[in-house]
Every structure is written in structure tokens, then in C-alpha cells.
Amino acid sequence: MTYIAKPKFHHPGLPTNELGYTHRDYEGKISTLCAGCGHDSITASIIEACFELSIEPHRVAKISGIGCSSKTPDYFLGNSHGFNSVHGRMPSVLTGANLANRELIYLGVSGDGDSASIGFGQFAHAIRRAVNMVYIVENNGVYGLTKGQFSATADRGSKSKRGVVNTDSSIDLVAIALQLGATYVARSFSGDKRQLVPLIKGAIEHQGAAFLDVISPCVAFNNHVGSTKSFDYVREHNEAVNRLDVITGRAPIKIDYEPGKVEVVEQHDGTKLALRKLKDEYDPHDRLAAMNFLQQHAAKGQVVTGLLYVDTEPEDLHAHLNTVEAPLNTLSERELCPGAGVLEKINAGLR
Amino acid sequence: MQSTDIAAPDYFHKVVDCQWACPAHTPVPEYIRLIAAGRYSDAYMINWRSNVFPGILGRTCDRPCEPACRRGRVEKDPVAICRLKRVAADFKDDIRGRLPKPVAHRNGKRIALIGGGPASLAVARDLAPLGYHCVVFDQDPKAGGMMRTQIPKFRLPDAVIDEECDYILNLGIEFVGGRRIDSMKALLAENFDAIFVGSGAPRGRELDIPGRQEAAKNIHIGIDWLSSVSFGHIDKIGKRVIVLGGGNTAMDCCRSSRRLGGEDVKVIVRSGFEEMKASPWEKEDAMHEGIPILNYLVPKEFTHENGRLTGVVFEKVKAEYDDKGRRKLVPTGEPDEHIACDDVLVAVGQENAFPWIERDLGIEFDKWDMPKVDPKTMASTNPKIFFGGDAAFGPKNIIWAVAHGHEAALSIDKFCSGEDINDRPQPMVDIVSQKMGIHEWSYDNDISADKRYRVPLRDKVVALRDIKAEVELGYDVELALKEAERCLNCDVQTVFTGSLCIECDACVDICPMDCITFTDNGDEAELRTRLKAPSRNVTQDLYVADGLKTGRVMVKDEDVCLHCGLCAERCPTGAWDMQKYLIDMTQAEDRCRAPARSAA
Ligand SMILES: Cc1cc2nc3c(=O)[nH]c(=O)nc-3n(C[C@H](O)[C@H](O)[C@H](O)COP(=O)(O)OP(=O)(O)OC[C@H]3O[C@@H](n4cnc5c(N)ncnc54)[C@H](O)[C@@H]3O)c2cc1C
Ligand SMILES: Cc1ncc(C[n+]2csc(CCOP(=O)(O)OP(=O)(O)O)c2C)c(N)n1
Ligand code: SF4
Ligand code: SF4
Ligand code: SF4
Ligand SMILES: [Mg+2]
């Protein structure tokens, strides 16, 4: 929390994107989170990703639940649509909004408490229904907003700030998302923007259910020795399987990795994901192998990060339901009430 | 890159762009904050210590601080540093009680000072309180030098000069007015312990072209004419006046002419408008008074009839640049232009002249007939004799004269105490955290977005009627406060402690100017290519700190930092702190301080 407004002045040499905006144009209000909170770095990464993709802010809908993490949509994309829903209900509100208007980019922002405790069912159903969205969990292993109780993602055996050991098993949201059919699954760390920003960009470009678990230390309640979600612990146990560059047709990025080590994955919409492999054996197209890999490393106390799974031909809820392309609010009476003749036909079909 | 040694006094001093650029290193942001707080007398005293003539300089300074001011890089125009100095002088209380008192017991050393301009007065001000018996000789009746005799009263009223010269002379200084020194040898024979030459650059350069002699009655040398105006010997000029030259003397000549009957006054310059020596604001002031500036015209001949000047013939030129980028003025080939006029003022430069210094006194002169002077100590090759102001290195300005004065005073004090004058003591540095609470600082860190405020002017018609009516009215208290709030407090430094940093990126994310980057180390040029925002201003330092757990370094580009303190507010561990850095340059009274670090 800071008392003064962030000055409007910006560096005179800041680059602009295709829309003529600087990254500062993607900011929101000044953050009210604790100084040093990992969530603020995720905010900065979302800003950077949207800036780099030249996204028009009014094409984005930010939807969240309750928690420090769920407050963050106020701090980025000040000119976008937003809905701060009730605790754990972000996925349903997002699903409804998406069904009503599929033309927007849906950014669901949630916390580990919001998604793995009270909203666990909501999370599961939005993923299994393949809602076209970016679902980001800002995962700190605690309920930050309510002063640091263990959340369901806290590892068994990890210690609270007051020294109490967590005896419950933890939920790995990435494993569940994989199992429930998410078509873009990644894990990252708020302290590694070089990895995180491209993963967010890839998720935005992905036309299906994209799930991102971002470990985000809570400096107030979960950044001590004995925590497995602290800056130090994550830096020591981070096992990155790959590094990503997102190449959009508009602004090609030069890749200067050693040949053979880079795999270019083309997504359905034409964007390319350049994946630099860090672990040779890791294949991000094999859902089952990914789940195994994750479990094996988790057992060793390692935190696997990177693009863990991607399906280049995703389908989404609209495709499954065969819904109309146009946003519902643009449909006129003529389309909504096609007349007695059509009704007669439908009735005939039911006889 | 090597980690930055922030203990070296120069490092943070350079970050305070204005103070670094000020020849006398005035602690600018410190006095601007005091003005914002309404503490005008305190603000005045800070200035008085550093630059000796706050009221005079607040109206006339060449202000090298302003082009250097960070605000100019962040926004458009720099803070009006100079005119805020005037505010301190205008609104202060009676500060006489805060000035040093004349000493009760002199130390027995006698110092002669030749010339009563700002250079000599600064030396005397520094030395008199230490017990020196200072004797100032000037050929003119009153002290002030060119501040009094050259600068027109509509820019600098006599009352201001009198007040600030008196503060100095009242320190127990002996002023011998109306006495010209005609022989250095004779003066040396008077057995002073040291002599300071502050005689200025008193000779105006001539323009020897056909017609000069014949039309001499209406052709005047600018600085001689201005001093005659100042002394009241001249009070009118012809209706049509041409001023030749593009420096500040030319600007004062043309504006004075407008007030003495000149209706059609033109400034005519050989060079282009941009290359003129006058400051942008001086040109602006002249044009505001309806004086056109004509460029690329070289005077060729004065025309005259029956011993009366009728005009000047000019050759038209253009600028051409050779492959080394050097400018040459070449004729355009167009026909010459004759411009009719009644009077010409020649303001094409100033020169030094030392006819009264015999050349066998151990004072060496160079091939331009200038004395050899050490720019650090102001000593000549005669150990007893020191130079300063325009006499040392040719015409400069008041603030340089003052800066020379401080250095010369320190040297004289050391010399008279039998010490090595080359051992310059270290400046006093004080650095204090400004933290008051989690989000509270003892300075106003909220950044004003206001544009530079204009100084109110006297109505033009009224101003042109009276050559003594001051044109600028100065900021009132309200405008001063608003202008003061534009200052970025560049002396409140961002201080980083690597061992406390947890690399959470909070400072990187909040910084409005993208100053901060955590990255792998590299050499400076390469590192500058990898920073969060383009780092193109290589005159500004990179602050590099190590000691981080990941082995990376923190790199802060000082260039456009707003000193808003948000990095420190967002830092969860106190690795960043905002600390006020006060640097107090050494003056004669601080002679006993430790010598300067060579690394600084
Ligand atoms: C027209 C004009 C306008 C200017 N405007 C500005 C301005 O706005 N701002 C600014 O900063 N600077 C300005 N300057 C420059 C500034 O006035 C000088 O740089 C400054 O006064 C130099 O100070 P000084 O102490 O070296 O010498 P001076 O001020 O020149 O003082 C030298 C004194 O020594 C006396 N003297 C010389 N020889 C002898 C001798 N042999 N015996 C006894 N006395 C002697 C002279 O009479 C004079 O009083 C201006 C100059 C001119 C000509
Ligand atoms: C229905 C309901 N139950 C409980 C709460 C209290 N509550 C507020 S935030 C929160 C947990 C938030 O944890 P998380 O989603 O991890 O967010 P964080 O603050 O850690 O970012 C809880 C239980 C609530 N606001 N509403
Ligand atoms: S309590 Fe924790 S999660 Fe919430 S703002 Fe503070 S550091 Fe961030
Ligand atoms: S902003 Fe203030 S402190 Fe900074 S350079 Fe300008 S006047 Fe000096
Ligand atoms: S004070 Fe800190 S946050 Fe503010 S501009 Fe400077 S480095 Fe950035
Ligand atoms: Mg949480």
C-alpha cells in the first residue's frame, strides 16, 4: 500500500507497441498489496504480456474471486472490463460471460484458496468444460487476505510462519487441470518474469482452456524457512523443463538458441510457440507422461515449471455446444424469435 | 561493472544534477524545499554560504544548473532554480543577525584584493571572518564590479547590489574606492601577505572596418556605453540603433537603447540564431521588447555623411560545415545590404588587459597574454599572487567569479598558514534516512505534474519608459510554492543494500521510470543494452550493487529517476532506502578538514 499515486511521468525512451501504447498504458490503479507480494510481479507480467501482444484493453474481461490475488485485476488493464465476484465463483461468472460474448479475451485471476478450497468445484468444471480462457492461480500456499492460514495447496510437512506443521495432503492444481482436460497447462514463478511473461502470452493466444499455476510468495505470511512457497525455496527447487518464446505473425522474434534444442509449435490461430528444451526427455504433447513427470518430481520435492502441456488443436465450450458466433447482446428480435414457421418445424421434430 | 562506491563523495553529488552543475555547488534542492516550507531566511542563508549573492544571482545568474536539471529530461522545462533563489531573497526576514560578525582580533595577515567585483568580494567574505585584514581596491567609487557598472538596472536594481555588497563589506573589510592600481610592483612593495587579482575583463573588443574613425561620434563600444549609462553620463540615444554582436552585452545594449529613445532597435549577428552566445531567455526578453534579431550578416563598412553615421553595410553569409563538423561562414553571393541607423553599439566581445602588471614579477603569461593560473588553486606562478573571476581565464559570469573566489580564499588561507595549497580538503558529506513511517518520508515525494511557471513581468509600456524599473516582478509566494514543488528532490538518494534484498522485483514493478533492473553483470556499454528501459544518456551513471543471492546485480540507471521513493516504499525488507545527501563544499573556514580522497 502506498499513499501517493504513481507518477504519470514515464521514461522518455519507452518503446511503444503496434497500437502506440507504452507498457505504462496497461497499468491499473496502484496496488494496495503488501510491499514485496509476489502477486504484484504477476500483475507486472500480465501488463507486459498484453503490451507485447498489442492487445486493445477494451477487448479484455478480467474476472476474479476473493483474496489478495483476486484483488489484483484492479492493478492492471485499467481500461478493461472487470468483475470481482464472490469467493471461489470466478469460474462460473467467467463461463457465463464467455457464453454471452465469445469475442473478448477472458482473464480469470484467482488464488489457491479461491480455486483449491471454496472454489475447487467451480475450477474443475470450468476446466472440464473447456472454456476459452486464461485461468491464472496466484499460488502462495496460504489464505493471504485472511492472515495466512494454510490453503489446500500447502505441501504436507511445510511449516507455517508460527511453526505449525501442515499435516494435510496438498492439491496440485496443475495435475488436476491436466487430468480434467485443460489444453494449455503451465507452471511458473512470480520471481521469474523471463519465464512467466511468454507463458502468459502463449495462454492468451491459446484458443481453449489455458491454466497457469504461478507460485507467488506471500511475503507477509509464507516466506520463511520451512515454507515451500518462499522465494528461496522455489529458487532452490525450481526444475524448469523448457523456456518459451511466443512468435506472433505481426512481430517476429528472433530465436537464437542452438538448433535441435528448439521446437516450434504452431497453434491453431497461427501463433508459434518456440520451446527451448531444458530437459531433453520432456515432451509437452504427452498428457500422461506430463502427469507422471510431475508426480515423480513432486515426490523429490522439486517444483516443475515451464509449458507442461499444450494441445495445438484445442476445442472449446462454444464448439461443443454449437453456439451462435455473435455476442448475445447483438442478436435482434428477428434472430431470437424466428417466427411461427420455425417453431412449427421444431415441434414437428419432437413428435 | 565494478560495484558502485557510493561512499565516494562525487557519486551522489553527480546525481544532484543542479548542484553538480553549479560552479559554487549550491545545495539547490535543499533551499527549494525550504522555500516550499516558507522558510525563506533559511533558504537565503544556504545560498549565501555557497554563492554569496543570492539576490543578485536570483536575478542575473547564467544558471548552468537549469540546463542540467533532471526535470528537463523527465518533462520539458527545468525547475526555475534561479528565480526561486530570488524568492528566498525577496521574502526573507532581516538576516543581518545571522551573518558573521567582524572579528574582534585580527590574525595579523593583510590581503590586497584588486577590483571590487564578485570574485574579490567572495574572497574577502571567506577570509575576513577568519581574522584576515582584507583591503579591496577599485577604480570605481562603489563595490560590485560589473554587476553594478554593466548589468542594467532594469535587470538588477541598485538596492539589491548595495544590500549584498554591504553584507560583505560590513564584515570588517576595508574598501578603497576610486583607487586604480597602476603597478603591481608598487603594490607588492606594500608587503601584503597575499594579493588577489579580481580585476575582470574590462576592455571591449573593437570593430575595425572602414568608416569606424569617420563616424566615431555615433559608434560606441558596448561595455563602455553601458557603464556610462549606469553612471548616468549617458541618458539618450538615436531613434534607429544597430547593436552588433550576439552575446549578453548585446542583449543589454539593445534593451537599454529601447529605454533611452531607441524606437527602431535591431540586433545584428554574424552567426545563426542558435549559435548566439546569449542565453535563450535573454534573446526571448529582447524579442519580447520588440527587438528583432537578424542573423548571418557580417558588418563590412560604416557609412557616413559629413561626419555623421548613416548606416552599416552587411555582407550576407551562410554556415557551411567541413567534414570535421567545423563551421565556416561563407558569402551567399547575394548583394550586400545597407541598413540605415543613427547609432551603433559594438558588442563583439570582451578582452583582458593587464598593462599594470609588470612582466618581471614572477607572474608568467601565456601566448595569449593571459596569466598562467592553476584552475584548482587559482594560484599564479608567483606564490603570493592569486587570480579569479574574469581576470583568471577570460570573461565568464558572476557565479564562476564566486566559485573562483572560494577556491582562492582557501588557497590564500592555506598559503598564509604555511600549508600546501594543493592539499584540498574533502567536502563535508552527510547522508540521513528520510524514513518516518511505512509510507511517510520527511520530504514531499508526491511528484507534481505542473509545467514551469512564468515569472510575472512589469507591463511593457511602463517598463520601457523607465530604465531603472525592474522588468521581472518575481514570483509571489503562491507561484513560488507551486514552482518549488516541481523540484524532484534529487538529493534524496536511492540507497540500496544488496544483502537485504530478496529479489522479489517489487521495486522493479513499481518504478514509474523503469530505472531498476536485476540482471547478470557485464561491462557498462553492454549492460546498458540490457536494461528495462533504453539507457542512452551515458553522461548519467549506472548504480551497480552486488551481494544478491542469485548472483545477479542490481543496476539502477540514475538518468530519469524521480526520487519518488516508491521503490523504497515497496521494498519489504528495507533494501532500498531514501537518504538525504547533503554535500557542503569546503571553504576557507574548513581548511582543517581531511584532504580529499583521490578516488572521489
Ligand atoms: C553587459 C554585461 C552583462 C552581464 N550580465 C551578466 C549576467 O546577467 N549574469 C552574469 O552572471 N554575468 C553577467 N556578466 C558578466 C559578469 O558581470 C562578470 O563575469 C563578473 O562581474 C566578473 O566578476 P569579476 O569579479 O571577475 O570582475 P568585475 O565584475 O569585472 O570586477 C572587476 C572590478 O575591478 C576593477 N578594476 C579593474 N582593474 C582595476 C585596477 N587596475 N585597479 C583597480 N580596480 C580595477 C573594475 O573597475 C571592476 O569594478 C555581464 C557582463 C557584461 C559586460
Ligand atoms: C464465502 C467466503 N468465505 C470466506 C471468506 C474469507 N476469505 C477471504 S479471502 C480468503 C482466502 C483467500 O485465499 P487465496 O485465494 O489463496 O488468496 P490470497 O489472499 O492468498 O492471494 C478467505 C477464506 C470470504 N471472503 N468469503
Ligand atoms: S498478505 Fe500475502 S498475499 Fe496478501 S498482499 Fe500481503 S504478501 Fe501478498
Ligand atoms: S529537479 Fe530539483 S534537485 Fe533535481 S536537478 Fe532539478 S532543481 Fe535540482
Ligand atoms: S525513486 Fe525509486 S521508484 Fe522512484 S523513480 Fe527513482 S528508482 Fe524509480
Ligand atoms: Mg493464497
Side-chain angles (χ1 to χ4, degrees):
Chain A
M1 173 70 188
T2 302
Y3 291 156
I4 67 167
K6 185 163 169 174
K8 288 275 178 277
F9 292 132
H10 64 71
H11 191 288
L14 275 195
T16 52
N17 63 15
E18 284 161 30
L19 303 172
Y21 294 141
T22 70
H23 76 85
R24 297 282 317 268
D25 295 316
Y26 288 84
E27 288 178 353
K29 292 204 191 98
I30 198 159
S31 167
T32 57
L33 301 184
C34 301
C37 178
H39 299 352
D40 280 335
S41 289
I42 302 176
T43 293
S45 302
I46 293 173
I47 287 171
E48 186 60 27
C50 292
F51 161 75
E52 287 179 15
L53 290 174
S54 295
I55 286 174
E56 295 167 302
H58 69 270
R59 286 193 49 239
V60 179
K62 318 168 284 185
I63 298 170
S64 63
I66 296 292
C68 299
S69 37
S70 294
K71 286 169 70 176
T72 61
D74 209 19
Y75 316 141
F76 57 81
L77 299 180
N79 292 309
S80 297
H81 308 278
F83 197 110
N84 191 200
S85 74
V86 284
H87 203 13
R89 268 53 184 167
M90 176 277 279
S92 333
V93 175
L94 188 150
T95 305
N98 183 306
L99 277 173
N101 180 357
R102 60 159 97 177
E103 286 185 350
L104 299 181
I105 295 167
Y106 288 93
L107 213 55
V109 177
S110 180
D112 43 321
D114 201 56
S115 280
S117 296
I118 192 168
F120 197 38
Q122 305 257 323
F123 154 73
H125 292 297
I127 298 281
R128 59 176 276 280
R129 284 180 178 138
V131 179
N132 181 6
M133 63 183 169
V134 179
Y135 192 133
I136 300 182
V137 170
E138 308 192 342
N139 185 355
N140 53 17
V142 288
Y143 299 168
L145 191 67
T146 55
K147 294 196 178 285
Q149 303 83 351
F150 280 124
S151 80
T153 65
D155 289 309
R156 183 196 297 217
S158 64
K159 267 197 198 136
S160 75
K161 196 173 179 180
R162 292 162 66 197
V164 180
V165 174
N166 178 32
T167 50
D168 298 343
S169 295
S170 68
I171 295 175
D172 183 348
L173 291 170
V174 160
I176 311 251
L178 280 169
Q179 195 201 329
L180 294 175
T183 44
Y184 181 105
V185 180
R187 176 147 49 214
S188 189
F189 171 43
S190 68
D192 185 359
K193 292 203 186 80
R194 267 181 62 209
Q195 183 190 50
L196 177 56
V197 172
L199 287 173
I200 297 173
K201 286 163 70 179
I204 292 174
E205 297 288 344
H206 183 78
Q207 300 300 312
F211 179 77
L212 261 116
D213 179 31
V214 187
I215 301 171
S216 173
C218 169
V219 288
F221 300 112
N222 206 8
N223 193 35
H224 46 267
V225 177
S227 156
T228 58
K229 300 270 190 288
S230 67
F231 281 109
D232 288 349
Y233 185 91
V234 180
R235 285 206 169 101
E236 271 159 37
H237 297 82
N238 192 340
E239 279 290 317
V241 294
N242 48 36
R243 285 263 173 201
L244 180 67
D245 273 327
V246 176
I247 311 167
T248 60
R250 292 156 294 190
I253 297 172
K254 227 178 82 230
I255 318 168
D256 53 2
Y257 302 137
E258 295 166 52
K261 283 249 173 186
V262 177
E263 182 198 1
V264 177
V265 183
E266 184 153 355
Q267 298 213 95
H268 191 71
D269 70 337
T271 52
K272 295 190 181 94
L273 307 178
L275 267 179
R276 179 171 53 129
K277 292 190 176 188
L278 299 178
K279 293 266 172 297
D280 276 340
E281 72 277 20
Y282 196 83
D283 175 8
H285 306 294
D286 186 336
R287 192 185 288 271
L288 286 181
M291 288 164 72
N292 262 329
F293 188 91
L294 220 59
Q295 301 291 332
Q296 281 160 5
H297 285 78
K300 288 189 267 179
Q302 288 165 335
V303 185
V304 176
T305 60
L307 179 56
L308 304 174
Y309 177 73
V310 60
D311 179 347
T312 52
E313 297 292 331
E315 274 190 358
D316 85 325
L317 181 59
H318 286 282
H320 296 157
L321 298 181
N322 192 24
T323 50
V324 53
E325 298 247 335
L328 300 188
N329 65 352
T330 64
L331 300 179
S332 65
E333 196 175 334
R334 202 167 52 84
E335 285 117 4
L336 293 170
C337 302
V342 177
L343 179 63
E344 196 46 47
K345 253 195 215 160
I346 292 169
N347 283 342
L350 294 172
R351 281 198 191 102
Chain B
M1 268 180 90
Q2 281 278 339
S3 285
T4 303
D5 177 13
I6 56 170
D10 274 4
Y11 182 75
F12 281 139
H13 189 177
K14 269 168 88 174
V15 175
V16 196
D17 289 305
C18 47
Q19 187 174 1
W20 181 252
C22 173
H25 301 302
T26 306
V28 173
E30 179 74 357
Y31 83 69
I32 292 183
R33 274 190 301 273
L34 289 169
I35 289 172
R39 291 169 55 188
Y40 306 112
S41 302
D42 293 335
Y44 185 86
M45 290 313 295
I46 292 217
N47 274 290
W48 192 78
R49 173 172 162 84
S50 297
N51 55 53
V52 187
F53 301 103
I56 293 173
L57 287 165
R59 291 165 166 85
T60 60
C61 189
D62 260 353
R63 28 176 153 151
C65 53
E66 291 193 17
C69 170
R70 171 164 286 112
R71 184 89 189 188
R73 301 196 295 277
V74 166
E75 190 219 286
K76 190 172 151 283
D77 293 317
V79 175
I81 301 170
C82 177
R83 290 334 188 226
L84 283 172
K85 196 188 309 295
R86 170 174 175 180
V87 166
D90 283 357
F91 295 105
K92 68 181 185 305
D93 306 315
D94 185 348
I95 51 89
R96 280 173 296 183
R98 300 174 65 163
L99 300 174
K101 308 272 167 301
V103 287
H105 304 286
R106 289 231 166 94
N107 67 4
K109 311 268 184 196
R110 286 165 67 246
I111 314 294
L113 302 107
I114 305 169
S120 291
L121 291 178
V123 174
R125 192 218 53 179
D126 284 2
L127 291 180
L130 305 183
Y132 288 91
H133 181 183
C134 297
V135 187
V136 180
F137 300 97
D138 201 300
Q139 62 198 9
D140 292 334
K142 280 179 149 185
M146 287 195 168
M147 304 190 296
R148 190 186 291 281
T149 58
Q150 290 292 322
I151 300 179
K153 305 305 166 201
F154 58 84
R155 287 208 289 131
L156 177 61
D158 269 331
V160 182
I161 308 174
D162 290 342
E163 175 189 332
E164 292 191 333
C165 287
D166 282 351
Y167 288 161
I168 298 166
L169 297 178
N170 290 344
L171 297 172
I173 289 159
E174 191 181 331
F175 180 76
V176 187
R179 164 130 179 241
R180 185 182 155 79
I181 302 298
D182 285 314
S183 162
M184 180 63 107
K185 193 175 264 171
L187 190 67
L188 274 169
E190 291 185 38
N191 276 331
F192 285 96
D193 292 280
I195 294 175
F196 177 78
V197 182
S199 56
R203 192 181 280 170
R205 202 170 280 153
E206 254 304 344
L207 185 61
D208 262 328
I209 54 173
R212 173 70 181 92
Q213 298 313 323
E214 295 82 341
K217 202 158 66 68
N218 296 96
I219 299 172
H220 321 275
I221 295 296
I223 63 169
D224 298 341
W225 185 80
L226 282 171
S227 56
S228 300
V229 171
S230 169
F231 287 123
H233 303 325
I234 288 181
D235 58 4
K236 58 176 175 297
I237 196 160
K239 281 206 168 73
R240 298 169 306 167
V241 181
I242 290 178
V243 177
L244 298 174
N248 43 20
T249 305
M251 298 302 120
D252 284 339
C253 284
C254 67
R255 296 180 69 194
S256 296
S257 300
R258 281 289 275 133
R259 288 159 170 82
L260 296 180
E263 285 166 12
D264 169 13
V265 180
K266 295 185 181 74
V267 172
I268 304 187
V269 197
R270 295 159 51 96
S271 68
F273 187 81
E274 296 303 328
E275 305 128 73
M276 287 169 61
K277 285 227 176 83
S279 314
W281 53 87
E282 290 178 306
K283 296 189 267 188
E284 214 173 275
D285 289 340
M287 292 184 302
H288 171 75
E289 293 179 354
I291 301 164
I293 296 175
L294 312 181
N295 297 93
Y296 293 122
L297 293 172
V298 179
K300 241 176 124 175
E301 185 186 347
F302 294 109
T303 57
H304 47 90
E305 251 176 58
N306 311 325
R308 249 199 100 76
L309 178 76
T310 54
V312 187
V313 177
F314 293 94
E315 178 175 52
K316 296 191 179 179
V317 294
K318 59 184 180 198
E320 265 179 16
Y321 296 87
D322 64 12
D323 24 310
K324 290 207 180 84
R326 277 178 309 210
R327 191 208 61 170
K328 240 175 66 188
L329 293 174
V330 295
T332 62
E334 292 166 82
D336 290 345
E337 189 174 349
H338 179 256
I339 301 181
C341 67
D342 305 314
D343 282 287
V344 165
L345 296 171
V346 179
V348 295
Q350 243 172 288
E351 286 169 337
N352 291 82
F354 300 101
W356 49 275
I357 300 185
E358 294 81 355
R359 301 300 143 113
D360 59 352
L361 303 175
I363 308 174
E364 284 176 37
F365 282 74
D366 63 17
K367 59 178 172 192
W368 296 282
D369 212 26
M370 286 293 286
K372 287 189 181 166
V373 178
D374 180 330
K376 214 165 168 172
T377 62
M378 307 311 293
S380 73
T381 50
N382 178 325
K384 239 187 177 182
I385 300 176
F386 300 82
F387 281 73
D390 289 357
F393 312 112
K396 285 195 171 169
N397 54 36
I398 302 169
I399 190 64
W400 269 113
V402 169
H404 290 166
H406 287 316
E407 294 303 331
L410 179 62
S411 299
I412 291 170
D413 186 30
K414 277 182 156 283
F415 172 72
C416 292
S417 313
E419 291 172 21
D420 179 0
I421 62 167
N422 289 302
D423 254 352
R424 311 302 279 187
Q426 206 171 359
M428 249 298 255
V429 169
D430 192 25
I431 183 153
V432 189
S433 175
Q434 300 297 290
K435 202 172 175 74
M436 309 255 290
I438 300 180
H439 315 290
E440 276 170 298
W441 303 97
S442 53
Y443 72 108
D444 179 7
N445 64 327
D446 204 352
I447 305 295
S448 154
D450 292 359
K451 298 267 179 290
R452 181 175 170 125
Y453 288 90
R454 290 189 153 272
V455 177
L457 300 182
R458 192 181 300 278
D459 175 74
K460 200 161 88 184
V461 179
V462 180
L464 288 180
R465 223 182 277 146
D466 177 4
I467 193 159
K468 290 198 170 166
E470 191 173 11
V471 173
E472 286 194 15
L473 301 175
Y475 288 131
D476 59 22
V477 167
E478 257 167 72
L479 281 174
L481 174 62
K482 286 196 199 147
E483 183 61 29
E485 282 181 336
R486 294 180 69 239
C487 173
L488 299 171
N489 302 291
C490 300
D491 60 341
V492 182
Q493 305 287 349
T494 56
V495 178
F496 182 76
T497 310
S499 58
L500 292 176
C501 173
I502 58 168
E503 297 174 71
C504 68
D505 263 9
C507 54
V508 177
D509 296 335
I510 195 67
C511 176
M513 304 309 275
D514 292 296
C515 300
I516 304 168
T517 309
F518 287 85
T519 187
D520 298 325
N521 207 343
D523 66 50
E524 179 170 347
E526 190 269 335
L527 205 47
R528 282 187 186 270
T529 66
R530 287 193 275 120
L531 301 187
K532 192 152 181 271
S535 176
R536 299 189 188 115
N537 184 357
V538 294
T539 64
Q540 290 279 321
D541 285 333
L542 298 183
Y543 176 2
V544 177
D546 57 11
L548 304 177
K549 274 202 184 137
T550 59
R552 299 182 297 174
V553 284
M554 185 291 298
V555 186
K556 183 200 164 206
D557 187 347
E558 299 281 10
D559 187 20
V560 289
C561 169
L562 300 175
H563 299 260
C564 64
L566 287 179
C567 47
E569 275 191 31
R570 280 311 167 96
C571 180
T573 65
W576 284 105
D577 191 22
M578 303 306 291
Q579 302 188 359
K580 185 165 93 176
Y581 179 81
L582 252 182
I583 183 158
D584 188 17
M585 301 314 288
T586 309
Q587 296 185 355
E589 63 175 341
D590 318 305
R591 172 171 57 81
C592 302
R593 280 184 193 163
R597 297 164 43 139
S598 53

